[in-house]
Amino acid sequence: MATKNLFCLLFYIICLSPASAQVSLSIEITHLRSDHGHVLLSLYDENQVQIRGLKATIKNSKSIFQINDLKPAKYAFKYFHDENDNSQLETNSLGIPIEGFGFSNNAKGFLGPPSFDKWIFSVTKDQMVQCQPKYL
């Protein structure tokens, strides 16, 4: 009987502990220039390690990503509107993007991408974030 009670107690602790909790993150990219192509998104952990690469369709100038089974932690993402569906961010001869792009927190850089600390954010519960791409 004591063994059964101990097992139940351990099971309860493991299942309900914050370390095992999972959260969902919805990312909505709005104000896309067109419905052509897809939006490609890279999700990073707090150590700047890419943990997921995602692709979403565009409808009504909007794209939605649903990411489930995340641990509560700090994350960041970057994305671009792959209008010609070649899986690459198109740039002009000076290296300036000609397709829309963006970062979590709508972080902006100056003469280059923003520093990672500007686009990292905490996910502690199910949440939804919205971003708008920048077209140069």
Side-chain angles (χ1 to χ4, degrees):
M1 185 70 169
T3 304
K4 184 178 179 183
N5 288 340
L6 180 59
F7 175 78
C8 289
L9 177 63
L10 288 173
F11 180 77
Y12 179 78
I13 291 170
I14 291 170
C15 288
L16 296 179
S17 71
S20 67
Q22 300 290 300
V23 295
S24 295
L25 175 63
S26 296
I27 301 169
E28 185 177 69
I29 310 298
T30 62
H31 296 89
L32 293 159
R33 181 163 53 196
S34 71
D35 287 355
H36 298 290
H38 290 86
V39 174
L40 301 179
L41 182 139
S42 294
L43 181 68
Y44 296 87
D45 67 14
E46 61 189 310
N47 299 313
Q48 299 184 37
V49 174
Q50 182 179 348
I51 57 172
R52 301 218 184 144
L54 305 161
K55 181 178 186 177
T57 58
I58 303 166
K59 186 174 181 183
N60 298 322
S61 301
K62 180 172 39 173
S63 199
I64 299 174
F65 295 87
Q66 181 65 42
I67 306 168
N68 299 314
D69 303 324
L70 291 174
K71 294 178 184 175
K74 291 183 178 182
Y75 295 97
F77 61 86
K78 63 181 177 181
Y79 63 92
F80 72 95
H81 181 186
D82 187 15
E83 291 180 276
N84 62 1
D85 259 340
N86 70 349
S87 299
Q88 297 177 19
L89 177 62
E90 295 294 320
T91 60
N92 65 18
S93 60
L94 298 174
I96 297 171
I98 58 175
E99 293 179 308
F101 65 95
F103 300 88
S104 44
N105 297 329
N106 286 312
K108 307 276 188 250
F110 180 72
L111 299 177
S115 61
F116 189 75
D117 65 317
K118 290 185 180 177
W119 42 298
I120 194 166
F121 63 101
S122 292
V123 178
T124 58
K125 61 182 180 179
D126 293 350
Q127 69 184 70
M128 197 261 275
V129 296
Q130 285 188 326
C131 289
Q132 295 180 16
K134 182 173 185 173
Y135 291 92
L136 301 175

